[in-house]
Amino acid sequence: MDMFRKRCKQLGLACTHQRLIIYRALASSASHPTPEAIYDQVRHEIPSISLATVYKNIKTFTEAGLLREVSVLHDSLRLDANLGNHHHLVCTRCKAVIDIPEEKLDPIRLRGKLPDGFVADRFLVEILGLCAACAKGRTN
Amino acid sequence: MDMFRKRCKQLGLACTHQRLIIYRALASSASHPTPEAIYDQVRHEIPSISLATVYKNIKTFTEAGLLREVSVLHDSLRLDANLGNHHHLVCTRCKAVIDIPEEKLDPIRLRGKLPDGFVADRFLVEILGLCAACAKGRTN
DNA sequence: CTATTGAACGATAATAATTATCCTCCTGTC
DNA sequence: GACAGGAGGATAATTATTATCGTTCAATAG
Ligand SMILES: [Mn+2]
Ligand SMILES: [Mn+2]
Ligand SMILES: [Zn+2]
Ligand SMILES: [Zn+2]
């Protein structure tokens, strides 16, 4: 956890008490928590912390590469009337979603058994990257 | 598009003018639109339509299996401090996210070239299904 | 074709999630 | 220890989504 201090220095971020606790809460969790869940966790140690601080630091950490968002498209509901099996290209910058046929990938196959009693229904594959427009220039 | 009338009858849904136009907007779009985008599109034909109607019918269609949501976890931000390569099991009922090592799947590999000028960065795989608790009983 | 009726619609309020604002305070540096 | 700028806290504002409720319309029976 002293490694966190170093990373902050590298990144030019102040290593505040709040940041340390927030990061520790995240790093010690296996549940992929929401901002609210982190807030609830952190309040055990810093009862006076503001939810806005949690949000701000989540963003800061994510931009710094200390954290990842589990889903790129969580900001707004996106719908698909194409019920056939296919995958998606997702532009991480403009959030464009482009169909690609499933034959464009080697088949997705499990090796061995899943943990717990998890019952799998289907595989969802997103190829993250930049769409043509975003890959080129600034303006999209 | 007359097939839509049939599906509605099968499902016990009234085939309203609004539903027809909303569904047509979705079916004819390749962009995986947001509810707002559908609303804007539909308003060309039904200027008086309510945004709430669009939301309600999106939900109706999704529950009926006429539509799919592109991302299962769009409702709230979920964070991950595990930066190593791994995949996720996602419970579609309680939204639990569980890590699985990438060796649990055959490697994801592209066959041939991607369309457009899309520049891929990484593959994101989610195994959708039910977690142990949700697979068993009602209460979770 | 008309009457009937429950489902669906439109308007809008309410809730939830996230971001912005602004003033105060603390970390990092000298 | 003093200083400056970034960071935190409180809270307002914004955005996304859902709930409420009175009115209207699609489906069906007569
Ligand atoms: Mn699609
Ligand atoms: Mn993970
Ligand atoms: Zn793009
Ligand atoms: Zn579950």
Side-chain angles (χ1 to χ4, degrees):
Chain A
M1 274 307 129
D2 208 47
M3 190 203 76
F4 180 73
R5 303 196 93 87
K6 287 210 178 97
R7 293 289 342 251
C8 281
K9 182 149 290 192
Q10 290 173 6
L11 297 161
L13 298 174
C15 182
T16 66
H17 185 50
Q18 288 86 340
R19 281 182 177 158
L20 232 155
I21 305 297
I22 291 170
Y23 182 77
R24 215 174 55 191
L26 274 154
S28 70
S29 168
S31 65
H32 306 81
T34 64
E36 281 280 341
I38 296 161
Y39 179 56
D40 291 340
Q41 168 76 26
V42 166
R43 277 210 284 182
H44 293 151
E45 302 203 41
I46 315 176
S48 63
I49 199 170
S50 167
L51 177 58
T53 298
V54 174
Y55 269 100
K56 279 182 284 199
N57 283 312
I58 285 171
K59 178 166 289 187
T60 301
F61 292 161
T62 302
E63 286 167 354
L66 289 170
L67 285 184
R68 270 190 186 163
E69 301 183 356
V70 175
S71 176
V72 183
L73 296 170
H74 79 272
D75 37 306
S76 180
L77 184 55
R78 300 290 290 269
L79 298 155
D80 197 341
N82 176 358
L83 300 179
N85 291 327
H86 65 286
H87 303 309
H88 288 141
L89 304 173
V90 178
C91 177
T92 52
R93 187 161 170 276
C94 72
K95 307 297 169 67
V97 177
I98 303 165
D99 288 338
I100 83 168
E102 65 176 346
E103 305 85 46
K104 282 275 182 172
L105 290 184
D106 283 356
I108 313 298
R109 232 177 347 233
L110 267 176
R111 291 175 169 173
K113 210 55 198 135
L114 288 179
D116 304 311
F118 196 94
V119 180
D121 173 36
R122 65 189 181 94
F123 297 103
L124 182 154
V125 179
E126 290 175 358
I127 302 177
L128 307 182
L130 295 175
C131 72
C134 289
K136 278 193 183 153
R138 292 272 61 75
T139 47
N140 186 28
Chain B
M1 275 307 128
D2 206 48
M3 190 204 76
F4 180 74
R5 302 196 93 87
K6 287 209 178 95
R7 293 290 342 249
C8 282
K9 182 148 289 191
Q10 289 173 10
L11 297 162
L13 298 174
C15 181
T16 66
H17 184 50
Q18 288 85 340
R19 282 184 176 155
L20 232 155
I21 304 297
I22 290 170
Y23 182 76
R24 215 175 54 191
L26 275 155
S28 70
S29 168
S31 65
H32 306 82
T34 64
E36 282 279 342
I38 296 160
Y39 179 56
D40 290 340
Q41 168 76 28
V42 167
R43 277 210 284 181
H44 293 151
E45 301 203 41
I46 315 177
S48 63
I49 199 170
S50 168
L51 177 58
T53 298
V54 173
Y55 269 100
K56 280 183 284 200
N57 282 312
I58 285 170
K59 178 166 287 186
T60 302
F61 292 161
T62 302
E63 287 167 353
L66 290 170
L67 285 184
R68 271 190 186 163
E69 300 182 355
V70 174
S71 177
V72 183
L73 296 170
H74 78 272
D75 38 306
S76 181
L77 185 54
R78 300 292 290 271
L79 297 155
D80 197 342
N82 176 357
L83 300 179
N85 291 327
H86 64 286
H87 303 309
H88 288 141
L89 304 172
V90 178
C91 176
T92 52
R93 186 160 168 277
C94 71
K95 306 296 168 69
V97 177
I98 304 164
D99 286 340
I100 83 169
E102 63 176 348
E103 305 84 47
K104 283 274 182 174
L105 290 184
D106 283 357
I108 313 298
R109 233 180 344 236
L110 267 177
R111 291 175 169 174
K113 210 58 198 131
L114 288 179
D116 304 313
F118 196 94
V119 180
D121 173 35
R122 66 190 181 95
F123 297 102
L124 182 154
V125 180
E126 291 175 358
I127 303 177
L128 306 183
L130 295 175
C131 72
C134 288
K136 276 191 184 152
R138 292 272 61 76
T139 47
N140 185 31

